[in-house]
Coordinates of all heavy atoms in Angstrom, one line a residue:
G1 N 73.6 122.5 109.1 CA 74.5 122.2 108.0 C 75.8 122.8 108.1 O 76.8 122.2 107.7
G2 N 75.9 124.0 108.7 CA 77.2 124.6 108.9 C 78.0 123.9 109.9 O 79.3 123.7 109.8
T3 N 77.4 123.4 111.0 CA 78.1 122.6 112.0 C 78.6 121.3 111.3 O 79.8 120.9 111.6 CB 77.1 122.2 113.1 OG1 76.7 123.4 113.7 CG2 77.9 121.4 114.2
I4 N 77.8 120.6 110.5 CA 78.3 119.4 109.9 C 79.5 119.7 109.0 O 80.4 118.9 108.9 CB 77.1 118.8 109.1 CG1 76.0 118.3 110.0 CG2 77.6 117.6 108.2 CD1 76.5 117.2 110.9
A5 N 79.4 120.8 108.2 CA 80.5 121.2 107.3 C 81.8 121.4 108.1 O 82.9 121.0 107.7 CB 80.1 122.4 106.5
H6 N 81.6 122.1 109.3 CA 82.8 122.4 110.1 C 83.4 121.0 110.6 O 84.6 120.9 110.6 CB 82.4 123.2 111.3 CG 83.5 123.6 112.2 ND1 84.4 124.7 111.9 CD2 84.0 123.1 113.3 CE1 85.3 124.8 112.8 NE2 85.1 123.8 113.7
L7 N 82.5 120.1 111.1 CA 83.0 118.8 111.6 C 83.7 118.0 110.5 O 84.7 117.3 110.7 CB 81.9 118.1 112.2 CG 81.3 118.6 113.5 CD1 80.1 117.8 114.0 CD2 82.4 118.6 114.6
Q8 N 83.1 118.1 109.3 CA 83.7 117.5 108.1 C 85.1 118.0 107.8 O 86.0 117.2 107.6 CB 82.8 117.6 106.9 CG 83.2 116.8 105.7 CD 82.3 117.0 104.5 OE1 81.9 118.2 104.2 NE2 81.8 115.9 103.9
Q9 N 85.2 119.3 107.9 CA 86.6 119.9 107.7 C 87.6 119.4 108.7 O 88.7 119.1 108.4 CB 86.4 121.4 107.7 CG 87.8 122.1 107.4 CD 88.3 121.8 106.0 OE1 87.6 121.7 105.0 NE2 89.6 121.6 105.9
Q10 N 87.1 119.4 110.0 CA 88.0 118.9 111.0 C 88.3 117.4 110.8 O 89.5 117.0 111.1 CB 87.3 119.1 112.4 CG 87.2 120.6 112.8 CD 86.6 120.7 114.1 OE1 85.7 120.0 114.5 NE2 87.1 121.7 114.9
Y11 N 87.4 116.6 110.3 CA 87.7 115.2 110.0 C 88.7 115.1 109.0 O 89.6 114.3 109.1 CB 86.4 114.5 109.6 CG 86.6 113.1 109.1 CD1 86.9 112.1 110.0 CD2 86.6 112.8 107.7 CE1 87.1 110.8 109.5 CE2 86.8 111.5 107.3 CZ 87.1 110.5 108.2 OH 87.3 109.3 107.7
W12 N 88.6 115.9 107.9 CA 89.6 115.8 106.9 C 91.0 116.2 107.4 O 92.0 115.6 107.0 CB 89.2 116.8 105.7 CG 88.1 116.2 104.9 CD1 87.6 114.9 104.8 CD2 87.1 117.0 104.2 NE1 86.5 114.9 104.0 CE2 86.2 116.1 103.6 CE3 87.0 118.4 103.9 CZ2 85.2 116.5 102.8 CZ3 86.0 118.8 103.1 CH2 85.1 117.9 102.5
E13 N 91.1 117.2 108.3 CA 92.3 117.6 108.9 C 92.9 116.5 109.7 O 94.1 116.2 109.7 CB 92.1 118.9 109.7 CG 91.8 120.1 108.8 CD 91.4 121.3 109.7 OE1 91.5 121.2 110.9 OE2 91.1 122.4 109.1
L14 N 92.1 115.8 110.5 CA 92.5 114.7 111.3 C 93.0 113.6 110.4 O 94.0 112.9 110.7 CB 91.4 114.2 112.2 CG 91.1 115.0 113.5 CD1 89.9 114.5 114.1 CD2 92.3 114.9 114.4
T15 N 92.3 113.4 109.3 CA 92.7 112.3 108.4 C 94.1 112.6 107.8 O 95.0 111.7 107.7 CB 91.7 112.2 107.2 OG1 90.4 111.9 107.8 CG2 92.1 111.0 106.3
D16 N 94.4 113.9 107.5 CA 95.7 114.2 107.0 C 96.8 113.9 108.0 O 97.9 113.4 107.7 CB 95.7 115.7 106.6 CG 95.0 116.0 105.3 OD1 94.7 115.1 104.5 OD2 94.6 117.2 105.1
K17 N 96.5 114.3 109.3 CA 97.4 114.0 110.4 C 97.6 112.5 110.5 O 98.8 112.0 110.8 CB 96.9 114.6 111.7 CG 96.9 116.1 111.7 CD 96.4 116.6 113.0 CE 96.3 118.2 113.0 NZ 95.8 118.7 114.3
L18 N 96.5 111.7 110.4 CA 96.7 110.3 110.5 C 97.6 109.7 109.4 O 98.3 108.8 109.6 CB 95.3 109.6 110.4 CG 94.4 109.7 111.7 CD1 93.0 109.2 111.4 CD2 95.0 109.0 112.8
V19 N 97.4 110.3 108.2 CA 98.3 109.9 107.1 C 99.7 110.1 107.4 O 100.6 109.3 107.2 CB 97.9 110.6 105.8 CG1 98.9 110.3 104.7 CG2 96.5 110.1 105.3
Q20 N 100.0 111.3 107.9 CA 101.4 111.7 108.3 C 101.9 110.7 109.4 O 103.1 110.3 109.3 CB 101.4 113.1 108.8 CG 101.1 114.1 107.7 CD 101.0 115.5 108.2 OE1 101.4 115.8 109.3 NE2 100.4 116.4 107.4
L21 N 101.1 110.4 110.4 CA 101.5 109.5 111.4 C 101.7 108.1 110.9 O 102.6 107.4 111.3 CB 100.4 109.5 112.6 CG 100.3 110.8 113.4 CD1 99.1 110.7 114.3 CD2 101.6 111.0 114.2
R22 N 100.8 107.7 109.9 CA 101.0 106.4 109.3 C 102.3 106.3 108.6 O 103.0 105.3 108.6 CB 99.8 106.1 108.4 CG 99.8 104.8 107.8 CD 99.5 103.7 108.8 NE 100.8 103.0 109.1 CZ 100.9 102.0 110.0 NH1 99.8 101.6 110.6 NH2 102.0 101.4 110.2
Q23 N 102.7 107.4 107.9 CA 103.9 107.4 107.2 C 105.1 107.3 108.1 O 106.1 106.5 107.9 CB 104.1 108.7 106.3 CG 103.1 108.7 105.2 CD 103.1 110.1 104.5 OE1 103.5 111.1 105.1 NE2 102.6 110.1 103.3
T24 N 105.0 108.0 109.3 CA 106.1 107.9 110.3 C 106.1 106.4 110.8 O 107.2 105.8 111.0 CB 105.8 108.9 111.4 OG1 105.8 110.2 110.9 CG2 106.9 108.8 112.5
A25 N 104.9 105.9 111.1 CA 104.9 104.5 111.7 C 105.4 103.5 110.7 O 106.1 102.6 111.1 CB 103.4 104.2 112.0
T26 N 105.1 103.7 109.4 CA 105.7 102.8 108.4 C 107.2 102.8 108.3 O 107.8 101.8 108.2 CB 105.1 103.2 107.0 OG1 103.7 103.1 107.0 CG2 105.7 102.3 105.9
A27 N 107.8 104.0 108.5 CA 109.2 104.1 108.5 C 109.8 103.4 109.7 O 110.8 102.7 109.6 CB 109.6 105.6 108.5
L28 N 109.1 103.6 110.9 CA 109.6 102.9 112.1 C 109.4 101.4 112.0 O 110.2 100.6 112.4 CB 108.8 103.4 113.3 CG 109.1 104.9 113.7 CD1 108.2 105.4 114.8 CD2 110.6 105.0 114.2
E29 N 108.3 101.0 111.3 CA 108.1 99.5 111.1 C 109.2 98.9 110.3 O 109.6 97.8 110.5 CB 106.7 99.3 110.5 CG 105.5 99.5 111.5 CD 104.2 99.7 110.8 OE1 104.2 99.7 109.5 OE2 103.2 99.8 111.5
G30 N 109.6 99.7 109.3 CA 110.7 99.2 108.4 C 112.0 99.0 109.2 O 112.8 98.1 108.9
L31 N 112.2 99.8 110.3 CA 113.4 99.6 111.1 C 113.2 98.6 112.2 O 114.0 97.7 112.4 CB 113.8 100.9 111.7 CG 114.2 102.0 110.7 CD1 114.4 103.3 111.4 CD2 115.5 101.6 109.9
L32 N 112.1 98.7 112.9 CA 111.9 97.8 114.0 C 111.4 96.4 113.6 O 111.6 95.4 114.3 CB 110.8 98.4 115.0 CG 111.2 99.7 115.6 CD1 110.1 100.3 116.4 CD2 112.4 99.5 116.6
G33 N 110.8 96.3 112.4 CA 110.2 95.1 112.0 C 111.1 94.1 111.3 O 110.7 93.1 110.8
C34 N 112.4 94.4 111.3 CA 113.4 93.6 110.6 C 113.8 92.4 111.5 O 113.8 92.5 112.7 CB 114.6 94.3 110.2 SG 115.6 94.9 111.5
D35 N 114.1 91.3 110.9 CA 114.5 90.1 111.7 C 116.0 90.1 111.8 O 116.7 91.0 111.3 CB 113.9 88.8 111.1 CG 114.2 88.8 109.5 OD1 115.1 89.5 109.1 OD2 113.4 88.1 108.8
E36 N 116.5 89.0 112.5 CA 117.9 89.0 112.8 C 118.9 89.1 111.6 O 119.8 89.9 111.6 CB 118.2 87.8 113.6 CG 119.7 87.7 114.1 CD 119.9 86.6 115.1 OE1 118.9 85.9 115.4 OE2 121.1 86.4 115.5
P37 N 118.6 88.4 110.5 CA 119.5 88.5 109.3 C 119.6 89.9 108.7 O 120.6 90.2 108.1 CB 118.9 87.5 108.3 CG 118.2 86.5 109.2 CD 117.6 87.3 110.3
S38 N 118.5 90.7 108.9 CA 118.5 92.0 108.3 C 119.1 93.1 109.2 O 119.2 94.2 108.8 CB 117.0 92.4 108.0 OG 116.4 91.5 107.1
Q39 N 119.4 92.7 110.5 CA 119.8 93.7 111.4 C 121.1 94.5 111.0 O 121.3 95.7 111.2 CB 120.0 93.1 112.8 CG 118.6 92.8 113.4 CD 118.7 92.2 114.8 OE1 119.8 92.0 115.3 NE2 117.5 91.8 115.3
P40 N 122.1 93.8 110.4 CA 123.3 94.5 110.0 C 123.0 95.6 109.0 O 123.5 96.7 109.0 CB 124.2 93.4 109.4 CG 123.8 92.2 110.1 CD 122.3 92.3 110.3
V41 N 122.1 95.3 108.0 CA 121.7 96.3 107.1 C 120.9 97.4 107.7 O 121.1 98.6 107.4 CB 120.8 95.7 106.0 CG1 120.4 96.7 104.9 CG2 121.6 94.5 105.3
R42 N 120.1 97.0 108.7 CA 119.3 98.1 109.5 C 120.3 99.0 110.2 O 120.1 100.2 110.2 CB 118.4 97.4 110.5 CG 117.6 98.4 111.3 CD 117.0 97.7 112.6 NE 118.1 97.3 113.4 CZ 117.9 96.6 114.6 NH1 116.7 96.3 114.9 NH2 119.0 96.3 115.3
D43 N 121.3 98.4 110.8 CA 122.2 99.3 111.6 C 123.0 100.2 110.6 O 123.2 101.4 111.0 CB 123.2 98.4 112.3 CG 122.6 97.6 113.4 OD1 121.4 97.9 113.8 OD2 123.2 96.6 113.8
R44 N 123.3 99.8 109.4 CA 124.0 100.7 108.5 C 123.0 101.8 108.0 O 123.4 102.9 107.9 CB 124.5 99.9 107.3 CG 125.6 99.0 107.5 CD 126.4 98.6 106.2 NE 125.5 97.9 105.3 CZ 125.3 96.5 105.3 NH1 125.9 95.8 106.3 NH2 124.5 95.9 104.5
A45 N 121.7 101.4 107.9 CA 120.7 102.4 107.4 C 120.6 103.4 108.5 O 120.5 104.6 108.2 CB 119.4 101.7 107.2
L46 N 120.5 103.0 109.8 CA 120.4 104.0 110.9 C 121.6 104.9 110.9 O 121.4 106.2 111.1 CB 120.3 103.3 112.2 CG 118.9 102.7 112.5 CD1 119.0 101.8 113.8 CD2 117.9 103.8 112.8
A47 N 122.8 104.4 110.7 CA 124.0 105.2 110.7 C 123.9 106.2 109.6 O 124.3 107.4 109.7 CB 125.2 104.3 110.6
R48 N 123.5 105.8 108.4 CA 123.4 106.7 107.3 C 122.3 107.7 107.5 O 122.5 108.9 107.1 CB 123.1 105.9 106.0 CG 124.2 104.9 105.6 CD 125.2 105.5 104.7 NE 124.6 105.7 103.4 CZ 124.5 104.7 102.4 NH1 124.9 103.5 102.7 NH2 124.0 105.0 101.3

């Protein structure tokens, strides 16, 4: 039971890291996932 609890705690920590990585990925997707008409706005956003 102690081993399971320890693994569970490690799973929660990994999940927190995945959430942080997902947030970073979401930000990058917002920049990289834009199509051609949106690129001027994207370039201004990057500069800002």
